Amino acid sequence: MLNEVLAKQLREIVGEKYFRTDQEALVAHSYDGTPMLQALPDGVIYPETTEQVCEIMKIASASLIPIITRGSGSNLCGGTTPLQGGIVMVMHRMNKILEIDMENLTATVQPGAITGKFIAHVEGMGLFYPPDPSSMKISTIGGNIAECSGGLRGLKYGTTKDYVLGLTAVLPNGSVIHTGGKLTKDVAGYDLTKLLVGSEGTLAVITEAILKLIPQPKTKKTMIAMYKDIYGAARTVSKIIKGQIIPATLEILDNTTIRVVDDFAKIGLPLDMAAILIIEQDGEPEMVERDIDTIFNICKEEQADRIEIAATREEAEKLLTARRSAFTALARLRPTTILEDATVPRSKIADMILRTNAIAQKHNVNIATFGHAGDGNLHPTATTDARDHEEVHRVEEAFAEIFEAAIELGGTITGEHGVGVVKAPYLEWKVGAAGIEVMKGIKVAFDPLNILNPGKVFAKETKKRVVIQHG
Amino acid sequence: MASTLGKPTIEHTNPLARTLLEKLDYDQLTNCMRCGFCLPACPTFKETGMEPASPRGRIALMKAAVDGLMVPDQQFEDQMNLCLGCRACEPACPADVKYGQLIEQTKEAIEEHAKHSLPVKVMRKTIFRTLFPKRGAMKLLGGSLAFYQKSGLQKVAKSTGMMKLFPDHLAEMEGILPPASSKGVVERLGEFYPAKGEAIAKVAMFRGCIMDVMFANTNVNTVELLSAAGFDVYIPKSQVCCGALHAHSGEMNDARELAAVNIDTFKSLNVDYIVSNAGGCGAILVEYDHLMKDDQKYSENAAWFASRVIDVSTLVVEKGRIPRFDQKIASSDQQKVKVTYQDSCHLRNVMKGSSAPRTLMKQIENAEYIEMVESDSCCGSAGVYNVVQPEMAGTILEHKMEYANQTAASYMLTSNPGCLLQMKLGIEKHKPEQPMTAMHIVDFLHERMIFSK
């Protein structure tokens, strides 16, 4: 697919060092954070400017070379694994924060900027960018936009899509589009900004983003409620929302997760509890006090065994950081950790946990559950071993039933990780055949030659829905 | 971690791939789930921004070589050698992947297949087989170095520009070497030094080879500090080199031979703790159990040994009676003296000893402790890394010194001879605005220790 002439042209665009076809580069870009997926690309390219991206896309179009854009490759849906070969385009060199506009409260950034560093930068200026995926220490803004990442603050503040105001993006034919801008109101035509957010690198290459910033909340308070009964924890979640309190963070960890997280973070989590809730509220001091009081009482009503309020900001941060490590910490149990992303309406959290546990038992697989309970986004996570094919098959069957259950409860197959290749066979369950057709039409309009991240989002075949026994 | 399903059954034609398959712990390779949490912790990833130069990338390369997805070539070897071995990725890894073991196994495999040129072979043999394991040779080197430094030869060498004949980075290193000595700690203090006051525990000191030649004073000060903190200190004469440099260079068998001698020596003393004042040595000592796990004769005693190894600062803070320290204030300047600290990676990431040195520095009256940005990140010294990888080591040091200068501290303290020399070099090369002195934390504390009796 890649001959010497093309390689030479690509090297002329980005410089000798930044287009690589050596073994080392190919292997190191053959994977992302998704287990059990690996495929070698034909080349790896590191552009530095939008113009370079345009030139690269023209060559890719002319020669029908697949382009897979990626940031740090921490995604969990196989979205950046080059399953059909082609060129992996690493956006790390385009990592500048171009502008913080204090008058419009916007930031203009390049896609390779590390999310955590960007957040620290704007917080240093007294502003707030709420989307905080657990991987933010390493993930990039571009990757977050491509996958429409969520995080621990999604409940109150929304996810990445709620903070992207405008984009510069390169189409597969090399032309550049600018969508949105530093505008709060803009209804000129279809909302291409929203369309590109979460498009998983299948429509265009994002090379610049204008992000919305908001004022920093004045205070924060963090608490932890511990339960002997996981359903008490789940009912607490529903009751808090029903009580019209929207905490900034409302996370649930089951016993298995508590144990591995504490093994890693060593912060003295209660190992004997069936579940804990980590709850944070921010805002005006009086409101925070009032909300935390009310939540405290709800926790008690639902038989929380112990409730503690973090004494210092450091203590709270430790708790949240430990929670962010939950997914990888589960790898301490078994070599392969398959984390899923089933999401249900918030009132159905308890039902979903019950169903998940029953399904795990039925298929005899280990599934730990944690997640953003407050926004209904659960991460049932199977701990298994990729080398045990029979068990992995059972895990897959269990997950198919979990997705089915999520949809039955009015939920979705992915809340924040994206479809990629892993969820592609299930997408039709959520959006229907007509929905898929519309999406495919959009894909053709942007990328008629199908060179951008081919094989992702749309599966060759939809997986057959299993019939779930009710009652 | 649950039981293993074993390694793949592959017949490799490439000899290095075969050895990697044999040596690498396939479970650990599989445990890496590629989450990427290690990337921000890795100094070589920070400097290059390239995935292959990250722990996740290197593990992927190792696994690809074992799985037959790639043939391990020169680039593979170079990438593995670019790793500092600082192990900052380990505490950052929620999945608890033993990266340090993987890189050691890889280097051992590479070393087995290395086709060194004759001069390199001779040099390696001299260094690993003669110099480090043998006290006599080390002392002789110390003596010669002392002669070189004291006789005026060093001045002659410097003034004639003779050092310019050597590669830049070696010439730079030569310039910051401390006065060496052929008299080590045993020659000065004997093999036993009693506790001041009632003895809390019986400890044995690991004197190290570089430490005992280049920093013999530090060893003496360590013993006196331990004694003041309430410990009976033994310094067995028959101890040998820890084997860290051997292990990091892939010479595992040599490392195991040295470990066996040390285990026998310290076991016969039946001490409560084995004290190290060099993070680099301490880190391999504390892992002797892992090093000797396949040696039936030694595995039990190696576990005994490893469980007793502790860094001097940690021992003093956690088990000892902390002496009083006072920084005398210069009369013209009422400001407190500012002190900062560069972590020894191995003390921090392997021995988990990052808090005790800070506790001690904060105990000093009339001194102010200032935390340096990225004090937990490698300084680029990393054993012999600054000699074999001067370019990367130089870049890392340059960035390190930017943060060092921001502290405006007068003293830069360290807990390992390699780091100490590297910080001396950094101060020499990138002169801070205010005068800065690099010191081993023990020496700094010793100078300020108030002797009660």
Side-chain angles (χ1 to χ4, degrees), chain A residues 362-396:
Chain A
K362 176 182 158 194
H363 291 275
N364 187 27
V365 291
N366 307 312
I367 292 184
T369 292
F370 63 95
H372 318 294
D375 51 29
N377 184 194
L378 288 175
H379 293 309
T381 301
T383 57
T384 177
D385 189 331
R387 292 167 288 185
D388 185 340
H389 300 294
E390 188 272 327
E391 186 180 293
V392 169
H393 179 71
R394 278 187 280 127
V395 169
E396 282 167 353

Side-chain angles (χ1 to χ4, degrees), chain B residues 261-280:
Chain B
V261 177
N262 282 329
I263 291 167
D264 288 340
T265 301
F266 287 89
K267 184 80 192 3
S268 68
L269 278 172
N270 197 25
V271 288
D272 302 311
Y273 299 102
I274 298 164
V275 191
S276 151
N277 61 4

